[in-house]
Amino acid sequence: MATTAAPRAPKNPAPPPRSVLRDTAFLRLWAGTTASGLATWALPFVLGLAVLHRDLGAAGLGMVLAARTAGFLAAVAVGGVLADRHSRRAVVLWSALAAAVATPLLAAGLGRSLLLMTAAAAVAGAGQGACRPAFQALTAETVEPERRQQANAALTMAVRGSTLAGPALTALLASFLDTRTLLLGIGLLWLIAALVPGKGAGRVTAADPAAGPEPEPRAGFRAEFLEGIREARRHPWFLAGLAALVAVIALGYSATSVALPLISRDRYDTQWVLAAATTAYIVGALGGALVIARWRPRSQGWAAFAGLAAYGVAPLSLMLPVHPVVVVAAYAVAGIGIELFNVPWFTATQREVSPDKLARVSSLDFLVSYGLAPVGLALIAPAIDAFGATPVLAACAAACFLVPAAAALVPTARHFARTAPARTE
């Protein structure tokens, strides 16, 4: 006698992952990262106010900012190795504390000792540089893989939001507080960055019983840094993305940084274009981060490279005699595109790179992209003087379009992964 099969019980779909914004551990990390980003942005702005108040000369400002950049570049590689050797949380703590201690020394030297200010700026830059790869690796320890893109988007939105609101807030505070007090406030932000983040989930290290046999003695600093470079070379998409970043930052971003004030003054005879375009870029970046927090394109790497290439519309708009609204719109598009690249780029690095080498690979990212930016700035201005703004902007726009397009053709670049992700129905 035939029987009818009992109907299957309907499958309960897996509940969606809880929002990362409801995770206390991430919120503590978010607060610390935001404080460090705001402190990093605020220092040049507050020192600029010191120049306006004649507490610091223009040449002195240049020396102090150069010392900070040198400290950053020197420490970012060291911080990457230390964050892979030791607790990422400890590296964040001590590097942020170093910046917190250095900032009052900047205030003490203001108007009294340029040498003290320069030395303090170098220490503050070193603290900032050591923090960056440690924070990247700590994010991977704190947040589960399926929520990291949302977490990275939230982090970048906080940084962009503080950049947007920061000038108005600092200008308001400057009406009531002197420059030294504002510098002490920056030190307080670094103190928050040091103390507020919690511990990550931790990693299995060679010292753990589950790690296997007795560990071999650690290699030296140079050997471990080279090991991070070898890890980066295992990922062709990472090297291609790094090359594209260098082209866009050292050429595109540098060219627009130099040319926008000149064109705002000479072509449009107003500073409104400069202010509006800069603001539009930040607002666009906020919008891009909001979009990519939820959007999961099928070919994530290709979509990210397309977003990075969109920066080319900024130098393109400056070389053409267009209405100023077009320039502002181009900067908004560039801002959207840069975060459509940044957030998946950070997420893919946290996912694909070996966890015990993540901080070193992240430090390589910051070292190359940030390290070559001053070189671009130093070369663009003489190039504009020698050849004119239009040819230089055209060359930089072409680089912004072509280098990311070429990078997208590299094997593994389509998905920012060595293997294509499994499709879910």
Side-chain angles (χ1 to χ4, degrees):
M1 179 178 175
T3 59
T4 304
R8 293 182 179 180
K11 293 182 178 180
N12 293 324
R18 187 179 63 163
S19 170
V20 73
L21 299 179
R22 298 174 61 188
D23 186 333
T24 302
F26 171 73
L27 290 178
R28 292 179 63 181
L29 177 66
W30 177 88
T33 307
T34 301
S36 71
L38 186 56
T40 298
W41 165 86
L43 183 58
F45 190 89
V46 172
L47 291 176
L49 293 177
V51 173
L52 292 178
H53 297 157
R54 302 186 185 279
D55 293 323
L56 182 66
L61 175 63
M63 287 182 60
V64 171
L65 293 181
R68 187 181 77 147
T69 301
F72 175 92
L73 295 176
V76 70
V78 177
V81 173
L82 291 177
D84 281 339
R85 279 187 173 187
H86 308 291
S87 161
R88 276 83 186 256
R89 178 66 189 89
V91 173
V92 167
L93 171 66
W94 291 109
S95 56
L97 282 177
V101 170
T103 310
L105 295 178
L106 275 168
L110 186 63
R112 299 187 182 96
S113 172
L114 182 58
L115 180 61
L116 177 60
M117 291 191 69
T118 303
V123 174
Q128 173 197 343
C131 267
R132 294 300 295 270
F135 267 127
Q136 283 291 315
L138 191 58
T139 301
E141 288 186 13
T142 303
V143 182
E144 296 89 347
E146 64 272 13
R147 299 194 296 169
R148 285 179 191 159
Q149 185 154 320
Q150 185 187 31
N152 286 315
L155 291 170
T156 197
M157 286 178 68
V159 173
R160 299 293 186 182
S162 61
T163 306
L164 181 64
L169 177 61
T170 306
L172 178 63
L173 291 175
S175 301
F176 305 97
L177 305 173
D178 61 18
T179 307
R180 288 185 178 83
T181 305
L182 293 175
L183 286 171
L184 294 176
I186 294 174
L188 180 60
L189 288 172
W190 278 117
L191 199 59
I192 293 171
L195 300 179
V196 169
K199 293 182 179 179
R203 298 159 288 160
V204 175
T205 65
D208 294 325
E214 187 71 19
E216 297 180 0
R218 274 198 175 275
F221 172 85
R222 179 176 178 274
E224 291 206 0
F225 182 71
L226 292 176
E227 191 178 55
I229 294 177
R230 286 193 292 273
E231 172 66 20
R233 291 173 60 186
R234 288 183 56 243
H235 306 278
W237 62 267
F238 181 84
L239 298 180
L242 206 54
L245 265 176
V246 168
V248 171
I249 292 175
L251 296 177
Y253 186 80
S254 297
T256 54
S257 297
V258 173
L260 179 60
L262 299 176
I263 289 174
S264 180
R265 180 195 66 193
D266 298 338
R267 180 187 298 167
Y268 300 109
D269 193 27
T270 177
Q271 297 302 308
W272 174 85
V273 177
L274 172 62
T278 304
T279 303
Y281 178 80
I282 300 172
V283 172
L286 281 168
L290 188 62
V291 168
I292 202 62
R294 293 187 174 276
W295 183 40
R296 302 293 187 273
R298 182 173 300 178
S299 300
Q300 190 171 71
W302 284 358
F305 280 124
L308 185 62
Y311 193 90
V313 301
L316 190 64
S317 70
L318 295 177
M319 60 176 286
L320 299 174
V322 296
H323 192 278
V325 172
V326 176
V327 175
V328 175
Y331 269 78
V333 170
I336 293 171
I338 207 71
E339 293 306 337
L340 294 183
F341 175 85
N342 278 342
V343 173
W345 169 258
F346 291 139
T347 306
T349 304
Q350 293 160 353
R351 181 187 67 239
E352 296 293 317
V353 170
S354 176
D356 63 322
K357 301 178 183 69
L358 176 56
R360 279 170 282 177
V361 173
S362 295
S363 72
L364 183 64
D365 175 8
F366 296 126
L367 184 65
V368 172
S369 56
Y370 281 84
L372 292 180
V375 178
L377 286 169
L379 295 178
I380 289 296
I384 289 177
D385 290 338
F387 304 106
T390 299
V392 172
L393 288 169
C396 292
C400 290
F401 291 133
L402 296 177
V403 177
L409 301 178
V410 169
T412 73
R414 178 173 182 175
H415 301 290
F416 277 172
R418 296 176 66 87
T419 58
R423 293 181 60 185
T424 56
E425 299 298 332

